[in-house]
Amino acid sequence: MSTSSTAALTVRDPWALVPSLGNLDAYISAVNRLPLLTAEEENASARKLRESGDLEAAGRLVLSHLRLVVSISRQYLGYGLPQGDLIQEGNVGLMKAVKRFDPDQGVRLVSYAMHWIKAEIHEYILKNWRMVKVATTKAQRKLFFNLRSMKHSMKEGVADDQTHRMSLTEAQLEQVATTLNVKREEVLEMETRLSGGDVALEPQTDDDGESYAPIAYLADETQEPTRVLEAQARDALAGDGITRALDALDPRSRRIVEERWLKVNDDSSGGMTLHELAAEYGVSAERIRQIEVAAMKKMRKALTPA
């Protein structure tokens, strides 16, 4: 490493070498220009960090390996997640590796950090690639990532972002199961999960026309606050409210309303007709209708809140 390169990584604030860049390509270009540390420089920085918590030493170790995170992130672009997010999660893994790195083990940081970088990216993918998690156990996670990698090698010439949608043949299923030392059924289940396409809950268009995205028919409107209040008010009116309104009527008006609107016979035919009530009270059917209308108005008034 040249003297100028070494000095670049020994400044008071090494993080200033990678400024906040809005463009991902600019960030990648910047980290690729950062100089690498020699084995001796890496060792010295790691010892400073372990012995005295030197943050400048930690900064030098992290900065010199940012290009490694970028390189590893490219292996996971086929999951449809932004590379910037993959890099960000990988950087978290890199910092964890730097914190735990022991220079006395005789291993370069690049080899040690790869595990931590991939672990963080794997965790991010499993949490964000699908709304429903496709791999929850350690064995399923291993199968998830290895299956996709093997499918890619079996489907030469297929676009990377379409690999997970390609189904395996019976022979390929057996080959994967044997190679990964798992049951054929487990491979088939994971293959089914990987092959399923994602469906957006929200409509993916700005048009004003009707939308039939899942959000339109998956919502539980029964728990919507306005509907809950309306249901409570309706139940109150159907119970105590109706009783209170009927109590406001004289006996004849009450019987007419009950016979006309509230009574149901065994044959579901309803109560008495206007003519039947007219014959019973010795008046015309029109007079019964007038009494009914007046009674209904009085009931509505009784049901109206003060």
Side-chain angles (χ1 to χ4, degrees), residues 269-285:
S269 60
M272 299 172 67
T273 66
L274 290 175
H275 292 283
E276 290 173 337
L277 288 168
E280 179 179 330
Y281 286 106
V283 296
S284 65

Side-chain angles (χ1 to χ4, degrees), residues 27-28 30-36 62-74 91 94:
Y27 170 83
I28 294 175
V31 300
N32 284 334
R33 289 196 302 270
L34 291 173
L36 299 174
V62 171
L63 288 170
S64 63
H65 289 80
L66 289 178
R67 67 179 69 192
L68 173 64
V69 177
V70 172
S71 176
I72 293 176
S73 71
R74 293 195 182 100
N91 285 343
L94 173 60

Side-chain angles (χ1 to χ4, degrees), residues 5 12 20 37 56 64 75 83 102 116 124 129 133 150 164 180-181 197 215 271 273 279:
S5 297
R12 175 61 58 181
S20 299
L37 295 176
E56 288 186 32
S64 63
Q75 303 172 20
Q83 186 180 11
D102 183 0
W116 290 93
Y124 171 74
W129 190 57
K133 294 182 180 179
M150 295 184 69
H164 69 277
L180 299 180
N181 193 27
I215 196 66
T273 66

Side-chain angles (χ1 to χ4, degrees), residues 9-33:
L9 285 177
T10 57
V11 295
R12 175 61 58 181
D13 183 12
W15 304 104
L17 294 176
V18 185
S20 299
L21 301 169
N23 185 284
L24 179 61
D25 291 335
Y27 170 83
I28 294 175
S29 177
V31 300
N32 284 334
R33 289 196 302 270

Side-chain angles (χ1 to χ4, degrees), residues 152-224:
H152 182 72
S153 63
M154 292 176 178
K155 303 291 183 179
E156 295 295 338
V158 178
D160 188 58
D161 60 350
Q162 295 296 321
T163 302
H164 69 277
R165 293 192 174 95
M166 302 296 293
S167 298
L168 295 175
T169 64
E170 287 296 324
Q172 290 171 333
L173 281 173
E174 294 293 345
Q175 179 184 346
V176 172
T178 302
T179 303
L180 299 180
N181 193 27
V182 295
K183 296 179 181 178
R184 177 187 174 280
E185 291 74 17
E186 294 177 353
V187 178
L188 185 59
E189 180 184 0
M190 187 62 70
E191 161 70 4
T192 302
R193 295 183 183 186
L194 289 172
S195 299
D198 291 331
V199 177
L201 285 177
E202 299 286 353
Q204 303 299 302
T205 175
D206 295 329
D207 297 339
D208 294 330
E210 290 189 47
S211 171
Y212 295 97
I215 196 66
Y217 54 80
L218 290 180
D220 182 7
E221 296 183 353
T222 60
Q223 299 303 316
E224 197 273 324

